[in-house]
Amino acid sequence: MNEPINAPKPHFFNHTALKKTLDIICGKWRLYIIYQIGTEARRYGELRRMIPEVSEKVLIQELKALVELGVIEKKSYNEVPPRVEYSLTAKTLHIFPHLLELTSIGEAFLNP
Amino acid sequence: MNEPINAPKPHFFNHTALKKTLDIICGKWRLYIIYQIGTEARRYGELRRMIPEVSEKVLIQELKALVELGVIEKKSYNEVPPRVEYSLTAKTLHIFPHLLELTSIGEAFLNP
DNA sequence: CTTATTACTAACCTTTTGGTTAGTTAACTT
DNA sequence: AAGTTAACTAACCAAAAGGTTAGTAATAAG
C-alpha cells in the first residue's frame, strides 16, 4: 500500500467561471459603477457626478470593459450635445441581488 | 417646485464592507488559495504543489496578506526542517459557502 | 463671435501587482 | 564533508491598473 495517507485533496471548481467572476467584480470601480447604474439607465455625466472620485479616463475605460463583458449596455442617441445612456443587461439584473450581497463577505471581517 | 424630476437616486451601500470584500477576494490567487486550504490545515509546501502556477514569492506574500486580513491563520511548529500550517479562520469557515458561490456570478456570463 | 455643453480620445506618468532568480537556516541523511 | 529538506527573504524587473492634463466635435444659447 503505497497510497500516501495525507495526500492533498484539493477543491475542484470551475476555473473559467471563477475567472469571469473576478473580471466582473474586481478593480477599484467596477462594482461601484454597477451598483450606481442599478435598475435605471444612467447618462455618462450622471455617473461621473455619482462617482466623482474616479477619473474620467478610468470611468470610460471601465464602462467599455463592462459593455465588453456583457454586464452593461450602451445606447447613444444622435443628439447634440451627445446623450449616451448605460444600463444593466438582463443577465446582470438577474444576478444583481448576488452582487449586492457581496458586502456581506467584507462585513464578516470588519469588527473584531 | 424646483425639484429636478430625474435627479440621480444612487444606491447606498456599505463602502467599507465592500472594500474589505474586494481586499479578500481580488487578486490573481487569493480565492484559489482560500479554496485549496478549504476545511483542512495545509502546509506551505502542500499549497505550492496544489497551485504550482503561482510563484513562491507571491504565494508567501498572499498568505501573509490573508493572515493580516484575518482570513487564514498560520501555525509554526518548532521543527527542522520547518513545518508551517495554514488554515481558514472561524470567520472564513462561516462564510465559506458564500465564497464558493462566487463562481455562479461568472457562470451567468459564460454562455451566450 | 464667443462660450457652454456632453461624451469622449490621446499622451504621458505613477503605483500596484505579479514574476524571476538566488540565497539563508538548521538539522538530518549519506 | 556534502547533500537534502522546508519555508522562507532579498534584490530586481515587467506588466497592469489607475491617474493627470489637455484637446476634440457639433450645436445651441447669449
Side-chain angles (χ1 to χ4, degrees):
Chain A
M1 273 232 239
N2 278 345
E3 292 280 296
I5 290 171
N6 283 331
K9 291 170 210 113
H11 261 99
F12 293 111
F13 50 90
N14 188 339
H15 284 260
T16 339
L18 182 64
K19 180 136 194 332
K20 185 71 93 174
T21 302
L22 296 179
D23 283 351
I24 290 166
I25 68 185
C26 291
K28 205 166 163 187
W29 303 109
R30 274 178 203 200
L31 273 181
Y32 289 96
I33 294 169
I34 294 170
Y35 287 174
Q36 296 303 339
I37 296 179
T39 52
E40 305 186 32
R42 298 287 189 192
R43 294 187 63 167
Y44 167 75
E46 225 176 342
L47 290 169
R48 262 208 66 57
R49 271 170 267 126
M50 286 164 116
I51 317 173
E53 312 93 326
V54 72
S55 74
E56 232 175 326
K57 180 205 133 191
V58 170
L59 179 54
I60 284 169
Q61 177 181 292
E62 294 303 285
L63 288 169
K64 249 186 201 165
L66 290 171
V67 169
E68 275 296 301
L69 284 163
V71 173
I72 64 177
E73 48 200 5
K74 170 177 173 174
K75 173 145 200 219
S76 297
Y77 298 83
N78 253 8
E79 301 176 5
V80 168
R83 179 154 73 104
V84 175
E85 288 182 351
Y86 295 91
S87 47
L88 301 188
T89 59
K91 281 179 187 181
T92 307
L93 283 172
H94 193 245
I95 56 146
F96 194 53
H98 279 43
L99 293 176
L100 290 174
E101 259 303 297
L102 283 173
T103 54
S104 71
I105 293 175
E107 271 158 21
F109 290 89
L110 282 184
N111 311 340
Chain B
M1 273 232 240
N2 278 345
E3 291 280 296
I5 291 170
N6 283 329
K9 290 168 210 119
H11 260 100
F12 293 111
F13 51 91
N14 188 337
H15 284 260
T16 340
L18 182 64
K19 180 139 192 329
K20 186 70 94 173
T21 302
L22 295 179
D23 282 351
I24 290 166
I25 68 185
C26 291
K28 204 165 162 187
W29 303 109
R30 275 178 200 199
L31 271 181
Y32 288 96
I33 295 170
I34 294 170
Y35 287 173
Q36 296 304 337
I37 295 179
T39 52
E40 306 185 31
R42 298 287 189 191
R43 294 188 61 166
Y44 166 75
E46 226 176 341
L47 289 170
R48 264 208 63 57
R49 272 169 267 123
M50 287 164 114
I51 317 173
E53 311 93 325
V54 72
S55 74
E56 231 174 327
K57 181 205 133 190
V58 171
L59 179 54
I60 284 168
Q61 177 182 290
E62 295 304 285
L63 287 169
K64 250 186 200 163
L66 289 171
V67 169
E68 275 297 302
L69 284 163
V71 173
I72 64 177
E73 49 200 3
K74 170 177 174 173
K75 173 143 201 222
S76 297
Y77 298 83
N78 253 8
E79 300 177 5
V80 168
R83 180 154 71 104
V84 176
E85 289 182 349
Y86 295 92
S87 47
L88 301 188
T89 60
K91 281 178 188 181
T92 308
L93 283 171
H94 193 244
I95 56 146
F96 194 54
H98 280 43
L99 294 176
L100 290 174
E101 259 302 298
L102 283 173
T103 54
S104 71
I105 293 174
E107 270 158 22
F109 290 88
L110 282 184
N111 310 340

